[in-house]
Amino acid sequence: MPRCDATHTPPREGAVRIPSGCAISGIMDKSGARHDGTDILKSIALMHDRSNGLGGGFAAYGIYPEYKELYAFHIMYENQEARKATEAYLDAHFMCEKQERIPTEPVRSIVNPPDIWRYFLGPHPVKLSMSGQDEAEYTMLHVFHINAVIPGAFVASSGKNMGAFKGVGYPEDIGSFYRIADYQAWLWTAHGRFPTNTPGWWGGAHPFTLLNWSVVHNGEISSYDTNRRYVEQYDYECTLQTDTEVITYLFDLLARRHGFSQEMAAHIMTAPAWDKIDAMEPSRAAFETALRNVYSSALINGPMSVLLGSDEGLLALNDRLKLRALMVGEKGSMVYLASEQAAIEVVCPDIENVRSIDGGVPFVVQLDEVAARKAQESAENTFCDLCRPAQLVGVVPQASKKAESMRATGGQRADAKWAEGGQNHA
Amino acid sequence: MLDYLLPRYKVLREDDLCVKCGVCERSCANDVHTLDEEMDAFLIDHKKCVNCQRCVVMCPTGALAITNWPQVGNGSNNWTLAAMQEIAKQSQTGGVLLTSMGNPKPFPIYWDHLLLNASQVTNPSIDPLREPMETRVFLGARPEALKVNEREHLVKTPMPPQIKLDVPVMFSAMSFGSISLNAQKSLAMAAQELGTYFNTGEGGLHKDLERFGAHAVVQVASGRFGVDTHYLNAGAMIEIKIGQGAKPGIGGHLPGEKINAEVSRTRMIPEGTDAISPAPHHDIYSIEDLRQLIFSLKEACRYQKPVAVKIAAVHNVAAIASGMVRAGADVVVLDGFRGGTGAAPTRIRDNVGIPIELALAAVDRRLREESIRSQASLVVAGTIRSSADIVKAVALGADAVYCASGPLIALGCHQCQDCASGKCNWGIATQRPELTKRLNPEIGAQRVINLVKAWNHEVQEMMGGMGINAIDSLKGNRLMLRGVGLNEKELDILGVKHAGE
């Protein structure tokens, strides 16, 4: 590889922030009927020129109905040790029903792929109840731990009855590699990436996922550091330095923890302009003002088009100024979204009601059953896990001990014990 | 005793240009210029010149200029002429050296070591002339999460009181007494027009300014001058002043000669008596006492107004600020060591406190680490010189800034550092009627409005360049900053990367 300075390896994504352009596509059947991955492959492949072979991926919902009560972890390993360490960790904190290598197929352009496994598991009941967290919070923190601490291991997805299939390559090649045509899903999203630099590893590819969320995104948000520092107050760890990651955490914080509907969460992120709010009638203006006020740091600025997948369905969102393209079309119970209209028409030539998504107006597609259920529910949000996991409190700081006595009492072991406590603050 | 003091400045007069109109003589309260009728020439007492430049600006023919006194020192870096002159002054008077305005020493100015980002290719910059560019800011406590009814668009969580700023700049505390009523009125009128706030300082609120109450921050300081329930409810926000950047750890002293009838009525103290603000608040000897005062004030305004607490930026500022938030402060105000003052001991002004940039970065980080950043707003003061400083302060984590020297300069202040004498030729830091009438509040307000509007345009341009169209997304966005010429430790404290990284 030509390099001017042999000792200088380009940093991996996570160590640096890499701007990217992208293609995104999403296909959903509101009825919940499942379809294989052929169409999403075709749709994203059409936008080949919007990516540059340095990242592609898919998220699919409804693919593991036989394990739908369990978390499905897709984990990438760089080597045998990473898998050993991760599996030992999973063993300590989860009950695993089934584990297997994800079937893949050799593709000429995909070189040196990682070893990719999936696990169907649930939180260890005793550890869960001792943690004082709910199931989702518990699982999320352990996913953060694996991604942040275990070298060479990366959890690509961790939701129920869903999974992410991603890697370094053109999306159509990644799709063939993972044999996504073999999976049946009611919601597919896809991403083709045009990073300006080599991400250097597979974990950085998109979709980015957390629990049941998956996000594909095209744009470069200029509010990144404001948003990052906001979510990091609440124990989210932005290890990848990507927009997609921080957008996912914002959705998780607002929708799961603060209990807003996805639509309201999206509304908060693309809040109406002050001059619009000033023109509203007073009670509505007070409502919007309070939201902007409290969630000022959750406002997203800069070009973005986002597809958010979840167990409820699909949400599409453009930035307030509509700086990125995003088209939508419908046909019966099917909804198609893509960066380009052609990528919709290639899979559904007689598409109806094609239009572009408005800037700052969340476009929500829910499963019919979810929509029916939501209509019955209260419109008030309920907080969950607002209090962050307790800070790990020790007995005495290690730094206050003299080096000698630390050796004598095995100070290091004491540290290791705290880390094992599973609170991830080590 | 022979006076060893040399003049600081030399007044240059071009006799060819001088028409002997006498404007200079009438302009100068320090009696620098005197027309000698017999000789038909101006006598100049250089020693009295403070370089306020009033005569230079007023001279119709441009005949005047002020320069440094040409005397050189002996070349020593230790015993500079200035150091020796200070000794001469103290050996003459036996007093503490007094001065005014901000620390002039060549300490690092971190604003000038921070550079801003702009969008290129991967995302577009935004043109503020074409797109909305929002600079509105709210100050006050915020609940961490909001309970709402999404269908009916109703807020269920009670919202704490907040104040709304249309521009991210407020005018810092300057009391009536330390500045003239006309100066304060100029700022009050400007604040109203700009949708922001002026601060009464600890001099009470003059009855003529009560109509600007919706744009006033009323201050409660250790002297408690002018404080009663009416005062506390007359403003939009209450501010407890613990410390000032220019003189951390010490109080204040407004000499009796400045306490005229109006000042006396507004401060609620007898005419001609010295107004002494003790160094500490005598009811605050620890953090738990601060909590009591905060809540006394909240009670007094029936929880209708946010309560700010202002401290000087000192070594342990992050821990102190964290304690202030836990004590119930809705707004934390940090005043850096370059901040201005009407009067301060020179040694204190020049040697106590820390730069506001480092204090701001440390406090913002600590409040986030403690997950209490959203509980209070953060306002910084102490040499905000331009719109670029504002943008950098917000990117480091401030909600808004306080600025006083800038608006005073707009009113005519030339930073001569002689406020304490009470002979301000610009009618700002004086109570003498013949001087205060030089400042027309309407014209003064217009100059300040122009300045802040110009700054706000520049803030919008810089935000647009970064691809940001709401100041919310600039707040704490340290990725938009890069350091130049800073060492690892400084970058670490500021939480910014070096240029090129």
Side-chain angles (χ1 to χ4, degrees):
Chain A
M1 206 181 288
R3 241 177 242 154
C4 357
D5 180 357
T7 60
H8 186 265
T9 337
R12 282 179 165 198
E13 182 151 31
V16 289
R17 185 166 148 77
I18 301 176
S20 305
C22 306
I24 58 178
S25 182
I27 299 176
M28 175 171 156
D29 190 328
K30 288 192 279 188
S31 74
R34 302 191 299 149
H35 306 269
D36 68 33
T38 323
D39 276 0
I40 193 79
L41 250 178
K42 228 196 257 177
S43 168
I44 196 77
L46 182 102
M47 298 184 283
H48 180 88
D49 283 357
R50 293 180 76 96
S51 50
N52 65 357
L54 291 176
F58 302 83
Y61 288 77
I63 51 175
Y64 301 130
E66 61 275 35
Y67 297 104
K68 64 180 187 213
E69 302 304 327
L70 296 172
Y71 290 96
F73 280 22
H74 286 191
I75 308 186
M76 302 169 166
Y77 298 118
E78 259 174 38
N79 49 48
Q80 200 62 25
E81 292 75 51
R83 180 154 77 92
K84 257 193 221 152
T86 309
E87 287 180 354
Y89 186 82
L90 290 177
D91 221 30
H93 301 286
F94 294 90
M95 311 280 277
C96 189
E97 191 97 337
K98 178 180 167 140
Q99 65 186 73
E100 64 184 356
R101 202 168 250 129
I102 293 180
T104 55
E105 189 171 284
V107 174
R108 177 186 282 273
S109 63
I110 308 275
V111 286
N112 202 11
D115 192 11
I116 307 161
W117 285 67
R118 69 184 155 216
Y119 304 82
F120 297 98
L121 33 74
H124 192 292
V126 178
K127 298 222 165 153
L128 173 64
S129 70
M130 274 167 57
S131 72
Q133 295 146 355
D134 70 7
E135 195 186 273
E137 190 76 17
Y138 178 92
T139 306
M140 180 183 95
L141 290 174
H142 286 294
V143 169
F144 284 166
H145 181 85
I146 295 170
N147 288 350
V149 174
I150 301 178
F154 187 81
V155 182
S157 64
S158 54
K160 290 180 175 174
N161 200 6
M162 60 82 71
F165 304 93
K166 60 184 187 175
V168 175
Y170 279 103
E172 56 271 29
D173 296 343
I174 293 290
S176 313
F177 171 78
Y178 280 108
R179 298 167 52 175
I180 64 157
D182 295 352
Y183 293 87
Q184 298 281 325
W186 54 265
L187 166 61
W188 285 98
T189 62
H191 188 260
R193 192 169 183 217
F194 196 132
T196 54
N197 292 261
T198 315
W201 58 312
W202 279 46
H206 301 167
F208 183 82
T209 74
L210 174 72
L211 302 175
N212 285 340
W213 305 113
S214 71
V215 170
V216 292
H217 155 74
N218 171 25
E220 185 195 342
I221 58 174
S222 46
S223 56
Y224 173 78
D225 219 29
T226 300
N227 305 139
R228 174 187 70 85
R229 297 181 76 222
Y230 175 61
V231 299
E232 283 192 349
Q233 288 191 81
Y234 305 104
D235 278 350
Y236 295 93
E237 292 178 29
C238 295
T239 51
L240 294 178
Q241 297 198 39
T242 60
D243 296 349
T244 319
E245 181 186 40
V246 82
I247 291 170
T248 308
Y249 294 163
L250 281 171
F251 271 114
D252 188 64
L253 177 72
L254 295 173
R256 187 173 64 81
R257 283 182 168 175
H258 291 195
F260 291 114
S261 69
Q262 293 179 12
E263 187 174 4
M264 184 55 71
H267 177 74
I268 288 169
M269 294 182 211
T270 54
W274 285 118
D275 51 10
K276 288 223 180 81
I277 293 176
D278 291 345
M280 291 173 183
E281 47 96 17
S283 84
R284 183 65 187 269
F287 173 77
E288 298 291 352
T289 302
L291 284 174
R292 272 202 76 166
N293 225 312
V294 172
Y295 296 107
S296 145
S297 298
L299 182 73
I300 296 182
N301 239 289
M304 63 146 180
S305 57
V306 165
L307 293 183
L308 171 80
S310 72
D311 49 356
E312 290 180 9
L314 190 59
L315 180 144
L317 185 65
N318 259 152
D319 61 88
R320 306 198 298 169
L321 297 181
K322 181 72 184 166
L323 296 169
R324 281 288 186 275
L326 188 58
M327 302 298 293
V328 60
E330 287 155 282
K331 178 77 190 175
S333 64
M334 301 297 292
V335 180
Y336 298 84
L337 285 130
S339 301
E340 294 178 12
Q341 190 170 339
I344 296 175
E345 286 176 349
V346 71
V347 288
C348 182
D350 52 350
I351 188 81
E352 290 160 7
N353 203 10
V354 182
R355 61 208 184 271
S356 79
I357 302 275
D358 281 341
V361 183
F363 179 83
V364 180
V365 194
Q366 284 174 333
L367 277 174
D368 292 338
E369 50 156 43
V370 172
R373 192 182 71 224
K374 293 268 170 190
Q376 304 303 315
E377 283 176 4
S378 153
E380 283 184 27
N381 54 324
T382 329
F383 304 149
C384 116
D385 274 312
L386 258 199
C387 46
R388 290 159 298 284
Q391 299 255 326
L392 187 61
V393 179
V395 176
V396 60
Q398 207 54 252
S400 71
K401 297 281 185 185
K402 286 184 182 159
E404 242 172 277
S405 64
M406 203 175 111
R407 268 200 303 278
T409 58
Q412 276 197 321
R413 286 240 326 272
D415 264 356
K417 198 173 147 219
W418 289 118
E420 231 177 39
Q423 300 278 332
N424 308 317
H425 287 278
Chain B
M1 258 197 289
L2 179 63
D3 187 357
Y4 299 163
L5 268 187
L6 301 172
R8 289 176 70 196
Y9 304 106
K10 190 175 169 73
V11 181
L12 306 178
R13 178 187 299 274
E14 291 218 29
D15 287 331
D16 294 350
L17 295 177
C18 179
V19 293
K20 300 192 182 72
C21 65
V23 162
C24 50
E25 187 175 7
R26 292 192 296 279
S27 293
C28 186
N30 296 305
D31 302 323
V32 171
H33 311 271
T34 333
L35 183 63
D36 187 314
E37 304 274 353
E38 266 178 43
M39 291 171 64
D40 192 30
F42 274 100
L43 302 178
I44 297 175
D45 189 347
H46 299 287
K47 215 169 185 171
K48 288 182 177 158
C49 178
V50 296
N51 190 24
C52 78
Q53 298 166 41
R54 176 82 184 182
C55 60
V56 178
V57 171
M58 296 303 285
C59 176
T61 60
L64 292 170
I66 317 282
T67 184
N68 282 322
W69 191 251
Q71 180 59 52
V72 297
N74 67 356
S76 165
N77 275 323
N78 282 322
W79 292 112
T80 58
L81 194 61
M84 292 194 294
Q85 286 284 295
E86 284 171 341
I87 286 185
K89 200 183 280 179
Q90 290 192 291
S91 58
Q92 185 98 8
T93 62
V96 168
L97 291 171
L98 264 189
T99 186
S100 303
M101 299 317 296
N103 188 337
K105 299 280 182 193
F107 286 100
I109 297 172
Y110 288 97
W111 302 133
D112 296 338
H113 290 270
L114 291 170
L115 294 171
L116 298 168
N117 195 27
S119 305
Q120 301 288 301
V121 182
T122 53
N123 66 353
S125 44
I126 301 167
D127 185 347
L129 296 176
R130 294 169 56 110
E131 304 284 354
M133 190 61 67
E134 302 180 326
T135 55
R136 185 180 294 183
V137 172
F138 286 83
L139 300 182
R142 297 175 169 81
E144 198 173 355
L146 210 55
K147 197 177 255 313
V148 302
N149 184 314
E150 296 189 5
R151 226 171 276 139
E152 291 163 25
H153 300 114
L154 289 175
V155 184
K156 298 289 181 178
T157 312
M159 283 296 284
Q162 296 186 321
I163 58 169
K164 181 181 90 175
L165 282 65
D166 287 331
V167 291
V169 193
M170 298 186 291
F171 306 134
S172 351
M174 287 177 288
S175 67
F176 171 45
S178 78
I179 60 171
S180 64
L181 190 58
N182 279 351
Q184 218 177 45
K185 195 183 278 178
S186 306
L187 297 175
M189 290 163 70
Q192 187 174 48
E193 169 71 22
L194 292 163
T196 185
Y197 302 83
F198 75 104
N199 188 313
T200 62
E202 80 160 323
L205 182 65
H206 191 276
K207 59 181 186 329
D208 288 359
L209 299 185
E210 278 186 17
R211 62 193 168 100
F212 301 104
H215 292 275
V217 177
V218 293
Q219 203 180 56
V220 175
S222 62
R224 305 284 156 90
F225 300 121
V227 178
D228 62 8
T229 318
H230 177 72
Y231 169 77
L232 293 174
N233 283 286
M237 178 163 83
I238 301 171
E239 178 176 283
I240 300 171
K241 175 198 175 183
I242 301 290
Q244 189 176 341
K247 40 181 172 178
I250 65 166
H253 178 183
L254 192 69
E257 59 256 36
K258 292 190 187 174
I259 315 288
N260 60 24
E262 291 294 303
V263 175
S264 141
R265 194 171 308 127
T266 310
R267 293 208 173 209
M268 305 179 189
I269 54 169
E271 224 175 306
T273 54
D274 287 7
I276 294 180
S277 305
H281 286 244
H282 283 306
D283 53 0
I284 303 181
Y285 277 33
S286 184
I287 188 79
E288 66 273 19
D289 299 335
L290 174 66
R291 184 179 180 82
Q292 292 204 7
L293 180 59
I294 290 173
F295 280 90
S296 306
L297 297 176
K298 287 186 177 181
E299 288 285 339
C301 68
R302 300 184 189 284
Y303 296 86
Q304 297 300 304
K305 298 175 197 296
V307 173
V309 180
K310 173 182 173 179
I311 55 164
V314 290
H315 299 180
N316 202 16
V317 65
I320 298 165
S322 170
M324 285 155 56
V325 176
R326 290 171 199 280
D330 300 318
V331 180
V332 170
V333 182
L334 304 174
D335 194 10
F337 83 147
R338 291 189 307 265
T341 175
T346 311
R347 296 295 174 241
I348 303 271
R349 183 194 69 174
D350 294 354
N351 295 285
V352 183
I354 64 169
I356 189 60
E357 302 91 327
L358 302 181
L360 161 60
V363 168
D364 180 63
R365 174 183 292 180
R366 179 67 62 86
L367 296 183
R368 284 169 193 269
E369 282 168 357
E370 303 270 325
S371 298
I372 52 176
R373 177 64 184 87
S374 58
Q375 283 181 31
S377 302
L378 192 50
V379 176
V380 298
T383 55
I384 300 294
R385 302 158 302 170
S386 69
S387 56
D389 291 352
I390 298 173
V391 171
K392 291 169 190 178
V394 174
L396 278 178
D399 290 87
V401 303
Y402 259 135
C403 182
S405 294
L408 287 194
I409 293 169
L411 293 180
C413 169
H414 282 65
Q415 299 281 301
C416 72
Q417 309 181 21
D418 199 44
C419 322
S421 74
K423 291 193 274 192
C424 176
N425 281 315
W426 295 92
I428 299 167
T430 178
Q431 300 304 326
R432 297 188 186 189
E434 73 277 15
L435 297 178
T436 59
K437 73 174 185 200
R438 293 180 182 178
L439 181 61
N440 177 325
E442 271 82 28
I443 298 172
Q446 193 54 54
R447 296 184 79 99
V448 175
I449 291 164
N450 288 346
L451 173 73
V452 175
K453 281 196 170 162
W455 280 6
N456 209 48
H457 280 309
E458 293 171 339
V459 168
Q460 290 175 329
E461 290 280 356
M462 283 181 266
M463 276 168 43
M466 292 182 240
I468 287 174
N469 67 2
I471 199 161
D472 314 54
S473 301
L474 178 65
K475 189 174 83 183
N477 197 336
R478 297 187 184 177
L479 215 48
M480 289 297 168
L481 297 170
R482 287 291 188 275
V484 272
L486 297 176
N487 64 35
E488 286 283 341
K489 193 74 195 172
E490 291 167 317
L491 292 167
D492 179 41
I493 293 167
L494 290 166
V496 301
K497 295 178 171 178
H498 201 276
E501 272 189 292

